[in-house]
Amino acid sequence: MSESSASRPRRGLVLVFAGIAALLVGVNAHFLTDNALWRVLTVAGLLLQGAGWVLFVRDGRQS
């Protein structure tokens, strides 16, 4: 079963919003606990956002 062209860009947006959520959790947890290990979650959130935007743009241009 193939994906429809309307649902393909959503794949990237899911990663973008997951990245935003991870970023916000990481920043707030680092601020509240003052534990530098939460920066790893923040960086992971940034990487997820970047990958999501790349997928979104790539899938949007193929439509």
Side-chain angles (χ1 to χ4, degrees), residues 12-54:
L13 288 179
V14 169
L15 282 180
V16 169
F17 286 116
I20 291 170
L23 177 83
L24 290 175
V25 169
V27 167
N28 287 321
H30 174 65
F31 176 75
L32 293 173
T33 64
D34 211 18
N35 186 351
L37 287 176
W38 287 106
R39 291 182 185 175
V40 173
L41 186 60
T42 304
V43 171
L46 287 172
L47 293 174
L48 276 174
Q49 283 185 55
W53 283 119
V54 168

